[in-house]
Amino acid sequence: MRKNPMAWIAMLVCGMALSGCAQPEKTIGTMPVPTLLSASIAQPTRTEIVAGQNPHPIYWEVGDVIAVHFDTDTDATTVHWYQLQSGAGTTNGTFAHLEYGGDTLPATYNSLIAGFSGYETISFNENTEMVLEARSEIFMGLDSVEEFPMHGTAAAGAPIAFRCSFGIAHIPVTGNNVSITQITMDTHEEVPVAGIFNVNVATDATTFVQSTAGSAYQIVWAGRQAVTLTDTPTDFYGVMPVGTYNAGTTLTFTLSNDSTIVKTAQQPFTVSRAQILSLPTLNVAQ
């Protein structure tokens, strides 16, 4: 789901008011700030989940928006939005500046940092960190994974090189004709998986800041219609922050009759940046 950036503008204005009027000395840039920016995606490590089948790469899609901060922006938290103009269906795209709320670009710059999805990139911290919201969502099928969080950097005149901020947990589920409408994955209040995170664009390190709607320790798949599980695994994917989940997880399956089945996996697992971790197949019917 794409978000209206005007809501974030209001948040940023409030934050600026609270921080006072002091502003850092303006940096002088070496090149004009462009209204068009090129951006590429470094692909995550993709292991075979099904023998002989390689998961699709991450591509730019029509309507994609990136958030950009230039080193010459007067305010350290300024966000500019650029929308995909060409390159849909590829890993290399061209983005055009969006003039939301009369947004004005600085005249020149030396470097930039950027975040994707643009509407889930809340702000920036100086020229080193981006602040983003991680979605509390599980996806059915790798093709349905939307707006995978990414961060990128570029020197003046160079394309933005985006790389994945989080990792992916692959959850294969079987069920012998069990019909489910929802899956809730809980990390036992050990590692936050949803909410606001800082991402250091130089080191790739992510730091949890605060929760938003719902629990910071849960991600959820809620189907528009019931899905009937069979002996052939149905593949679910959770975008998760990097870290070791020592307590494992609890998966709660809501059935079409509103009853629930709870499965607890106590073995620890580690999610690595830009990698898919395949968890053991889980049989809901056993």
Side-chain angles (χ1 to χ4, degrees), residues 2 13 17 98 100 119-120 160 169 174 182 185 188 199 215 225 228 250 257 259:
R2 304 190 186 280
V13 170
L98 295 174
Y100 281 121
Y119 294 159
E120 290 174 345
I160 305 171
T174 60
Q182 182 171 301
M185 183 178 189
H188 303 154
V199 180
S215 170
Q225 59 186 17
T228 300
T250 292
N257 62 5
S259 64

Side-chain angles (χ1 to χ4, degrees), residues 4-18 81 122:
N4 187 338
M6 298 305 294
W8 294 125
I9 291 175
M11 179 185 293
L12 293 176
V13 170
C14 291
M16 290 168 62
L18 292 173
W81 285 280
I122 299 171

Side-chain angles (χ1 to χ4, degrees), residues 42-117:
Q43 295 303 301
T45 301
R46 301 282 176 146
T47 57
E48 288 188 345
I49 294 173
V50 179
Q53 297 182 16
N54 291 315
H56 80 298
I58 297 176
Y59 289 143
W60 295 121
E61 297 180 359
V62 173
D64 278 349
V65 171
I66 60 175
V68 178
H69 174 79
F70 297 98
D71 67 319
T72 51
D73 279 315
T74 302
D75 190 275
T77 63
T78 296
V79 177
H80 306 282
W81 285 280
Y82 284 70
Q83 186 171 45
L84 186 69
Q85 185 179 71
S86 64
T90 75
T91 59
N92 295 285
T94 299
F95 291 77
H97 177 233
L98 295 174
E99 297 182 1
Y100 281 121
D103 178 50
T104 302
L105 298 172
T108 59
Y109 78 120
N110 305 294
S111 63
L112 63 82
I113 59 177
F116 177 82
S117 151

Side-chain angles (χ1 to χ4, degrees), residues 168-281:
I168 296 178
H170 167 224
I171 311 161
V173 181
T174 60
N176 191 22
N177 295 321
V178 173
S179 182
I180 63 172
T181 59
Q182 182 171 301
I183 302 173
T184 301
M185 183 178 189
D186 193 307
T187 60
H188 303 154
E189 297 191 0
E190 181 192 29
V191 181
V193 292
I196 307 299
F197 288 80
N198 281 344
V199 180
N200 187 303
V201 298
T203 66
D204 299 326
T206 56
T207 305
F208 177 71
V209 178
Q210 66 183 54
S211 60
T212 50
S215 170
Y217 303 95
Q218 292 181 347
I219 52 177
V220 178
W221 170 78
R224 295 181 179 176
Q225 59 186 17
V227 170
T228 300
L229 303 173
T230 67
D231 292 336
T232 300
T234 299
D235 297 310
F236 294 90
Y237 297 88
V239 176
M240 302 178 70
V242 171
T244 298
Y245 298 73
N246 288 305
T249 64
T250 292
L251 291 163
T252 301
F253 296 86
T254 302
L255 309 189
S256 55
N257 62 5
D258 291 330
S259 64
T260 58
I261 296 175
V262 179
K263 296 287 184 178
T264 298
Q266 295 181 338
Q267 65 267 35
F269 62 92
T270 299
V271 174
S272 300
R273 189 189 69 80
Q275 293 186 17
I276 295 176
L277 171 69
S278 289
L279 300 176
T281 299

